[in-house]
Amino acid sequence: MKDGGLIEKRDRMAWLKGGTVQCNHPPAKPAGRVWRLVLLGAPGVGKGTQADLLSARLGACHLSTGDVFRAAKSLCSGEVSPAMQNALAYMRRGDLVPDAIVLAMIAERARCLHCGGGFLLDGFPRTVAQAEELKNMLGQGKVPLTAVLNYDLPTDQIVARLSGRRTCPKCKAVFHVDTRPPRVKGTCDHCGEELYQREDDRPESIRVRMAAYEKSTRPLIDFYQKRGVLVTVPAEGSPEEIYQRTRLALSA
Ligand code: AMP
């Protein structure tokens, strides 16, 4: 079970582990439309929650680069490559991981971008160089993006969301101390694990992450607007309200 009681049907093994690892439950090629979406927006705007909702209802797989780094973090140090250990040091500070490391990690997972079930990219691309490389990987437009969803929220609301966020280390469910508290303080509703605050959700990291967003990621709004695929969605309100707005914006 995950976030809001959704059943997570897909394991995303090929994405989380990379290389030749296969998914146990790969998404079937849908009879209708194949969705290839990029979710853009500042950290804490709710991209991950929206990706989960969209994935459960549109069928495409939720591909989060942050989840790949967090999965590597939970391995023993001996199992983590030096490049990945380097990436994790950037992540801990709230800094962006350098493009070369991110792009090498994506290249190992390129087949997820060509999956018949489509994809929901969350947290990638985050720089113009990454966006250019994504275009190359998708064959310069041969595999077109359906849309780039730009979730928009004022900065003070973003900081409040991030600093109150608490995560379950086991099932990854996400709570908020004020707006989405667990039934028992500090404990996951779904699996009873003790909730924790992500290292990069601490105030000093939040400041670094917001600065990195402004400098490196915000220019992607213009990048995708010029290419005619940008769809801006106001990210105020409950996850369900934002989700309904997203479906409307996509005419889905
Ligand atoms: P997220 O869960 O998407 O907020 O990602 C958590 C952290 O992982 C970020 O603060 C970065 O340190 C790192 N990260 C994830 N995706 C990228 C990316 N595409 N480029 C650079 N750093 C990334």
Side-chain angles (χ1 to χ4, degrees), residues 219-240:
L220 290 181
I221 295 178
D222 195 41
F223 180 94
Y224 284 120
Q225 194 145 37
K226 282 190 182 132
R227 285 156 183 81
V229 284
L230 193 81
V231 176
T232 294
V233 180
E236 270 129 358
S238 69
E240 188 59 31

Side-chain angles (χ1 to χ4, degrees), residues 42-44 47 64-70 87-99 102-103 105-106 122-127 130 162 165 198 200-201 205 209 212 217:
K47 299 184 297 291
S64 153
T65 39
D67 281 353
V68 175
F69 291 131
R70 280 183 287 278
L88 296 181
Y90 283 92
M91 185 181 167
R92 254 176 244 119
R93 289 195 297 271
D95 269 330
L96 289 189
V97 175
D99 284 341
V102 175
L103 292 174
M105 186 268 267
I106 298 284
D122 162 17
F124 178 85
R126 247 176 165 105
T127 65
Q130 292 179 16
L162 284 175
R165 182 158 72 178
R198 272 168 47 173
D200 58 352
D201 280 347
S205 298
R209 290 167 75 194
T217 311

